[in-house]
C-alpha cells in the first residue's frame, strides 16, 4: 500500500506529465518560432493553409488603399495579387500603419509586408528584406501660399507634419532636431492635418508628396528630394528564409517579363504620368 507521501508524489508527477503533454501539443501549431521568440509561418505552412496574410496600407493612394467598393488597390496590392497567384494561395490583406509594420511581422499577424517599406540598416536588424522593387527618396509638400523650399527658413512656431515610424520622421529627427514635428499614425490623418493648416509642410516619401500635390490643387512639392535615395522592398519576419528565398526568386522571375513596369502603368501612371517610370521602378531586384 502506498503511503500518503507516495500518493502526493504520484499525483504531482501525473500533473507534470499532463502539463508537458499539453505543451507538446501546442508545439504542433502551424506557426514556427525563431531563436528570438518571434512567430512566423514558413513557405510550406503558408501553402498548406491555402492563404497568405499580407500587410498593406489602406489609405496611401496610389500605392495601397481601399476603393469605393471596399477592395484593396494600388501598386503594392497589384504586386501582392501576383505573389498569391504564383504561390497558389488565397490572399488576406491586413491593413497596417507605418509604425506597426515590424510589429505585425514579429507577432505573426502577417506573413509579409508590402507597405512601401523603405530598406534601412536599423530595420534590417528586426526584419528580413527581400530584393527591392522601387526607388524612393524623402520630399516635402506645402501650400502654394507658402512654399517651403528649405527647413532653414522655418520659425520656432512652424510645425512640420510627419508620420510615426517612417524614414521621414527619422530623417527629420537626425538632421533637423530643432524643427517642431507634428506626428500622426496614419496617412489620412497627415493629409487632413496639412489641409487644415496644422503644419507648414508635410515630409514623407517623395512619391507620396508628389502624388498629393498632383491630386490636390493649391500645393507644391518645394523640396523634391532630401538625403540619399533609398529602395522599397518586401519584408518578412527575421529568420523566415523559406519565404524570403521564394520571394527573391519570384522578383527575379517577374523582372524577366517587365512586371513592375506593367504594374506602374496600371496603378501609378494615372497619377505620375510616364515621366517617372524609369526613375521609380526597379525591375527584377536590380537596384542601381
Amino acid at each position: 500500500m502506498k503511503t500518503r507521501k507516495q500518493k502526493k508524489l504520484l499525483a504531482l508527477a501525473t500533473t507534470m506529465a499532463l502539463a508537458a503533454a499539453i505543451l507538446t501539443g501546442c508545439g504542433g501549431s502551424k506557426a514556427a518560432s525563431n531563436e528570438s521568440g518571434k512567430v512566423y509561418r514558413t513557405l510550406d505552412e503558408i501553402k498548406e493553409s491555402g492563404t497568405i496574410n499580407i500587410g498593406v496600407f489602406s489609405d496611401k493612394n496610389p500605392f495601397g488603399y481601399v476603393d469605393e467598393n471596399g477592395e484593396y488597390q494600388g501598386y503594392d496590392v497589384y504586386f501582392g495579387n501576383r505573389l498569391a497567384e504564383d504561390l497558389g494561395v488565397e490572399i488576406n490583406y491586413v491593413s497596417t500603419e507605418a509604425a506597426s509594420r515590424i510589429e505585425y511581422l514579429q507577432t505573426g499577424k502577417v506573413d509579409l509586408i508590402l507597405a512601401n517599406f523603405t530598406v534601412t540598416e536599423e530595420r534590417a536588424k528586426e526584419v528580413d528584406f527581400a530584393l527591392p522593387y522601387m526607388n524612393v527618396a524623402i520630399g516635402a509638400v506645402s501650400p502654394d501660399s507658402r512654399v517651403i523650399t528649405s527647413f532653414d527658413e522655418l520659425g520656432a512656431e512652424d510645425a512640420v507634419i510627419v508620420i510615426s515610424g517612417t524614414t521621414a520622421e527619422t530623417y527629420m529627427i537626425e538632421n533637423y532636431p530643432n524643427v517642431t514635428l507634428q506626428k500622426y499614425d496614419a496617412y489620412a490623418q497627415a493629409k487632413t492635418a496639412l489641409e487644415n493648416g496644422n503644419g507648414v509642410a508635410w515630409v514623407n516619401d517623395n512619391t507620396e508628396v508628389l502624388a498629393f500635390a498632383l491630386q490636390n490643387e493649391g500645393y507644391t512639392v518645394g523640396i523634391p528630394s532630401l538625403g540619399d535615395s533609398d529602395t522599397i522592398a518586401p519584408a518578412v519576419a527575421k529568420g523566415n528564409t523559406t519565404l524570403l528565398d521564394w520571394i527573391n526568386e519570384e522578383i527575379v522571375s517577374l523582372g524577366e517579363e517587365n512586371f513592375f513596369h506593367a504594374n506602374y502603368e496600371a496603378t501609378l501612371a494615372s497619377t505620375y504620368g510616364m515621366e517617372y517610370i524609369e526613375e521609380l521602378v526597379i525591375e527584377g531586384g536590380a537596384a542601381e
Side-chain angles (χ1 to χ4, degrees), residues 24-199:
T24 300
C26 291
S29 66
K30 296 296 183 183
S33 178
N34 65 21
E35 61 275 10
S36 300
K38 301 179 183 68
V39 177
Y40 58 79
R41 298 194 302 166
T42 65
L43 180 67
D44 286 342
E45 288 167 341
I46 292 170
K47 288 181 177 180
E48 183 180 349
S49 74
T51 302
I52 186 169
N53 302 312
I54 300 182
V56 294
F57 289 127
S58 60
D59 59 356
K60 191 176 181 181
N61 186 351
F63 299 96
Y65 64 98
V66 176
D67 66 15
E68 63 275 8
N69 298 317
E71 300 292 331
Y72 280 94
Q73 304 289 350
Y75 187 78
D76 291 336
V77 174
Y78 188 102
F79 181 26
N81 289 343
R82 179 60 182 271
L83 289 177
E85 177 184 341
D86 289 351
L87 193 56
V89 297
E90 298 295 320
I91 191 163
N92 174 43
Y93 284 117
V94 179
S95 176
T96 182
E97 295 177 352
S100 302
R101 290 174 293 193
I102 292 176
E103 174 195 345
Y104 278 19
L105 285 173
Q106 292 179 337
T107 58
K109 188 168 185 177
V110 299
D111 303 302
L112 170 68
I113 285 289
L114 291 179
N116 266 171
F117 212 5
T118 304
V119 179
T120 69
E121 290 184 5
E122 287 302 311
R123 288 172 175 170
K125 295 175 183 177
E126 300 188 80
V127 302
D128 283 339
F129 284 105
L131 294 171
Y133 60 94
M134 193 171 194
N135 289 307
V136 69
I138 298 171
V141 61
S142 48
D144 288 347
S145 57
R146 184 187 175 189
V147 178
I148 302 300
T149 58
S150 171
F151 295 123
D152 295 331
E153 63 193 62
L154 300 185
E157 73 285 356
D158 294 324
V160 170
I161 297 167
V162 295
I163 297 172
S164 298
T166 61
T167 51
E169 178 194 23
T170 301
Y171 181 87
M172 292 300 295
I173 291 173
E174 293 179 349
N175 294 277
Y176 295 94
N178 296 325
V179 172
T180 301
L181 299 182
Q182 188 70 40
K183 302 180 182 182
Y184 296 92
D185 291 329
Y187 285 88
Q189 293 174 335
K191 293 174 182 178
T192 300
L194 183 64
E195 293 169 343
N196 291 340
N198 294 334

